[in-house]
Amino acid sequence: MRGMRGMRGMRRARDTPGARAESGTRAASEGRPASEGGAKRRRPSLRLPRLSALRLPRSRRGRRLAVQGLMALCVLALLPATWMRLGADARVGTTADAPAREVAMVFGAGLWKGRPTPYLAHRLDAAAELYRTGKVKVVLVTGDNSRVEYDEPDAMRTYLTERGVPDDRIVSDYAGFDSWDSCVRAKRIFGVDRAVLVSQGFHIHRATTLCRTAGIDAYGVAVDEPRDATWYYGGTRELAASGKAALDALFRPDPRFLGPQEAGVTEALASATP
């Protein structure tokens, strides 16, 4: 019994304020955290907003105004894409519908292990068909080469030559970082005045509108694709991309990289002349 009373006394002694302070001081001097019995730091609590605070207006007029505001936002989001579709719809068709132009222009759509993605391969197949049927004489491939290990134009060139397009009829634009840059550079750097553009249906209206804004007499070929997840993702992405494109068409900024004029298209057309 005496031993048990002695142990209780030792616990009470360790639990006194003085003993806890001494323990915390000793722990700090030894470079280790204080024991649980020492002074505790209170962590700041992260309070999330309560869902109950997000309430719809109670009055009928308030609910009506909220619905009208939501509808206005939806209209504003869809307005640029609608404008581009309506403005370019008469200038978009298939490879069979495309008029004869000297230049076909293919926009990059990504690489997978150094090779064109399926969507990009389908664009290149359409361009190769335009060349074989004599509707175009030169193919301008425009894409991203901002990194040494990522070279869209060279991968596109290789794919086209494998499908019968002569290498000297292919011109590469290595700074086509987006659709606006590609269109402006085609006009101002490569001297393209008229062209057949090749892309998927969800993108071709935007590309055609931007190239026409840049000063190119453009006709768009819409490549058919199955309505898979990639297609729906591309269509959804167009809502945001169309907003940027509308700003590009309004303010007409310079491309990210402009550079000096190049004679690639002119030389390729000269070699195509018998």
Side-chain angles (χ1 to χ4, degrees):
M1 294 295 291
R2 290 180 180 178
M4 294 179 65
R5 284 197 295 269
M7 291 175 66
R8 293 194 193 100
M10 291 174 64
R11 289 196 190 98
R12 284 196 296 269
R14 285 198 299 267
D15 289 340
T16 60
R20 287 197 295 267
E22 182 181 354
S23 174
T25 304
R26 189 184 309 117
S29 63
E30 294 176 0
R32 56 184 176 85
S35 63
E36 294 183 359
K40 295 183 179 179
R41 292 184 179 180
R42 182 175 297 175
R43 296 182 179 179
S45 60
L46 180 62
R47 293 185 177 180
L48 298 176
R50 292 179 301 175
L51 294 178
S52 59
L54 304 175
R55 295 177 179 175
L56 291 174
R58 294 183 178 180
S59 67
R60 180 178 299 177
R61 181 174 181 274
R63 289 194 294 270
R64 184 169 62 249
L65 290 175
V67 171
Q68 290 174 349
L70 181 60
M71 293 176 62
L73 288 175
C74 293
V75 169
L76 289 175
L78 294 173
L79 189 60
T82 304
W83 166 62
M84 292 184 185
R85 175 166 287 275
L86 294 177
D89 203 44
R91 288 177 168 263
V92 172
T94 65
T95 53
D97 301 326
R101 300 282 168 89
E102 291 184 330
V103 179
M105 186 172 166
V106 185
F107 297 84
L111 302 178
W112 175 254
K113 296 182 179 180
R115 297 284 296 176
T117 59
Y119 270 44
L120 179 53
H122 296 163
R123 297 181 187 185
L124 296 168
D125 290 336
E129 181 182 346
L130 290 171
Y131 179 82
R132 285 193 302 268
T133 56
K135 291 194 172 184
V136 301
K137 299 177 180 178
V138 172
V139 180
L140 173 62
V141 291
T142 173
D144 187 355
N145 183 215
S146 57
R147 308 187 305 275
V148 175
E149 68 278 6
Y150 188 86
D151 191 341
E152 277 187 324
D154 275 359
M156 295 161 75
R157 176 187 290 271
T158 300
Y159 188 94
L160 286 172
T161 55
E162 292 171 351
R163 279 145 187 83
V165 181
D167 186 72
D168 61 354
R169 305 292 177 85
I170 305 170
V171 180
S172 299
D173 176 11
Y174 295 96
F177 300 125
D178 59 24
S179 299
W180 174 250
D181 284 13
S182 295
C183 291
V184 174
R185 284 178 55 81
K187 175 66 177 179
R188 295 171 60 180
I189 301 301
F190 296 94
V192 175
D193 295 319
R194 304 171 76 231
V196 177
L197 315 181
V198 183
S199 187
Q200 270 73 29
F202 55 74
H203 171 244
I204 195 62
H205 293 83
R206 174 163 61 94
T208 303
T209 299
L210 289 177
C211 281
R212 291 182 64 198
T213 302
I216 298 175
D217 182 7
Y219 184 91
V221 168
V223 179
D224 285 334
E225 296 290 349
R227 300 299 193 263
D228 56 7
T230 303
W231 190 92
Y232 284 109
Y233 167 77
T236 304
R237 179 180 176 275
E238 278 300 301
L239 294 178
S242 295
K244 177 187 179 300
L247 294 176
D248 289 336
L250 178 63
F251 296 105
R252 305 190 181 192
D254 284 337
R256 194 183 316 177
F257 179 79
L258 191 59
Q261 292 184 343
E262 298 185 21
V265 171
T266 303
E267 293 173 353
L269 287 173
S271 69
T273 303

